[in-house]
Amino acid sequence: MHTVVERELELHLVLSPEHSIPVPARLSYRSDDPYAVHITFHIGSDHPVSWTFARELLVEGVFRPCGHGDVRVWPTKVGGRGVVLMALTSPDGDALLEAPAEQVSAWLERTLRAVPPGSEGERLGIDDGLAELLAPSPRLSASPPRSASRERGDLHDQPGSASADELWLRDPWPSDESKDGE
């Protein structure tokens, strides 16, 4: 089971230092995608605009300027209140969004309680997947009984031929350094 942490809030699209327009948005975090945060902007069209970037980037951006390229985040004050600015760049254009720092911080705290920093990898099951992938294969670790080989007509019974296990382990793409495909 995974946890979802969401928050609806109103961001402001900054058009100039004196003018911005409100943009309803949803912050979303899922414990099954523990490194990412998702922001969906409802801009009055049929399809909302969504951005996904590292949770760590937003966490750091609440305290100090960070990021480069497509996503940059930094804290500042506007009219005496704390805000988090997010500069987003895409082939379709650029946007500077202003988010209330208190609301973003409270939401981030909930995500950090759901999946503490440093434990994200455990949620992905990478270690379990690698262990399964690297575990000895039954096919490689045990050969069939000799009688079963005879019944199937395996290569074991043919003098001078390689066993099925030997064929399985042979490199199918010999290196350029080998002689005659050995």
Side-chain angles (χ1 to χ4, degrees):
M1 185 169 130
H2 66 273
T3 302
V4 176
V5 180
E6 292 187 322
R7 168 89 192 225
E8 297 281 340
L9 70 152
E10 185 174 273
L11 304 180
H12 288 275
L13 176 63
V14 179
L15 303 174
S16 73
E18 303 83 31
H19 188 66
S20 65
I21 57 173
V23 178
R26 173 182 290 143
L27 298 173
S28 183
Y29 177 80
R30 298 186 324 257
S31 63
D32 63 337
D33 188 10
Y35 291 105
V37 293
H38 309 274
I39 302 177
T40 303
F41 307 102
H42 305 284
I43 55 173
S45 67
D46 290 339
H47 304 286
V49 175
S50 295
W51 277 75
T52 300
F53 53 90
R55 175 176 72 165
E56 185 177 323
L57 180 66
L58 190 55
V59 168
E60 186 176 340
V62 168
F63 299 103
R64 66 187 136 277
C66 66
H68 60 308
D70 295 347
V71 180
R72 291 174 290 130
V73 184
W74 66 97
T76 194
K77 297 261 185 198
V78 173
R81 63 186 174 83
V83 297
V84 176
L85 293 175
M86 293 176 278
L88 307 176
T89 302
S90 78
D92 296 328
D94 302 330
L96 179 60
L97 294 148
E98 177 185 297
E102 188 175 312
Q103 292 178 18
V104 171
S105 294
W107 175 77
L108 280 170
E109 285 178 26
R110 289 176 46 213
T111 73
L112 295 170
R113 281 194 304 271
V115 179
S119 70
E120 295 93 346
E122 298 165 15
R123 298 292 180 140
L124 295 175
I126 291 174
D127 291 338
D128 294 337
L130 280 174
E132 183 179 325
L133 183 64
L134 297 174
S137 169
R139 183 173 183 175
L140 293 176
S141 61
S143 359
R146 190 111 174 106
S147 61
S149 297
R150 285 193 187 110
E151 290 172 13
R152 291 195 322 252
D154 281 351
L155 298 173
H156 291 286
D157 296 332
Q158 300 174 8
S161 66
S163 71
D165 286 341
E166 289 170 347
L167 289 175
W168 175 256
L169 295 172
R170 186 175 295 160
D171 183 0
W173 295 279
S175 71
D176 293 337
E177 298 169 6
S178 65
K179 298 175 188 172
D180 300 324
E182 291 179 352

